[in-house]
Amino acid sequence: MLKGLDPRLNAEVLYALRAMGHGDTLIIADTNFPSDTIARQTVLGELLRMDNLTSAEAAEAVLSVLPLDTFVDDFAGRMEIVGNPEEIAPVQAEVQAVIDKAEGKPRKMTGIERFAFYDMAKQAYAVIQTGERRFYGCFMLRKGVIPPDA
């Protein structure tokens, strides 16, 4: 245990979050996402795990240390529901609430078509697979910066 760090963050996840640079993307994936296959194609090249956590719990832990990008509109994204891209699934509403809380204001995630999400995930820095069993519990977070006065 380390003081001031969310205990849900394991050493491998902390390493990846620290190593990421401004603009790098992180995928938080549900259990149905082809996480290992995609993760092998990322910058990190190996799958990270946050088992037994929902997507929202994993996002909350990650966002306790990771700043979101403020220079772009696609600072965070959700996999769109096939056939109904405007629908927000409950798991997606939960992660949106986590983002809004971490940011201290509402910041709406962008929608990303399913196959475009897979393609984008292959270019990500890393993939974290969670224990989320609900469909469409897949998200992209883009790392921002910490200003000198923070």
Side-chain angles (χ1 to χ4, degrees):
M1 297 291 294
L2 295 172
K3 191 173 167 181
L5 286 177
D6 190 311
R8 297 174 290 189
L9 294 170
N10 60 52
E12 293 79 13
V13 169
L14 282 170
Y15 170 82
L17 296 177
R18 173 63 178 93
M20 290 172 65
H22 181 213
D24 283 342
T25 57
L26 175 72
I27 302 300
I28 294 179
D30 63 31
T31 57
N32 290 299
F33 190 74
S35 296
D36 189 59
T37 302
I38 299 280
R40 290 171 191 246
Q41 299 173 65
T42 64
V43 173
L44 188 63
E46 63 184 62
L47 180 61
L48 301 173
R49 303 183 77 80
M50 292 179 80
D51 296 319
N52 302 317
L53 298 179
T54 66
S55 291
E57 291 168 336
E60 182 179 42
V62 166
L63 291 175
S64 73
V65 296
L66 183 85
L68 289 174
D69 201 331
T70 58
F71 294 102
V72 296
D73 292 332
D74 65 340
F75 63 92
R78 61 176 177 79
M79 182 188 286
E80 291 177 346
I81 296 172
V82 174
N84 196 357
E86 299 303 315
E87 180 181 349
I88 305 296
V91 64
Q92 296 174 341
E94 290 172 16
V95 171
Q96 182 65 66
V98 167
I99 290 169
D100 293 348
K101 182 178 178 188
E103 294 293 283
K105 63 182 179 183
R107 286 190 75 197
K108 187 177 177 184
M109 284 186 281
T110 61
I112 305 166
E113 186 274 332
R114 178 179 168 222
F115 291 108
F117 190 97
Y118 291 148
D119 290 339
M120 181 207 52
K122 293 173 187 175
Q123 303 302 312
Y125 189 87
V127 174
I128 298 172
Q129 185 172 38
T130 68
E132 181 63 68
R133 294 185 58 202
R134 294 174 289 178
F135 297 150
Y136 298 100
C138 298
F139 304 89
M140 176 276 294
L141 303 175
R142 188 177 304 278
K143 187 175 184 178
V145 298
I146 298 172
D149 59 350

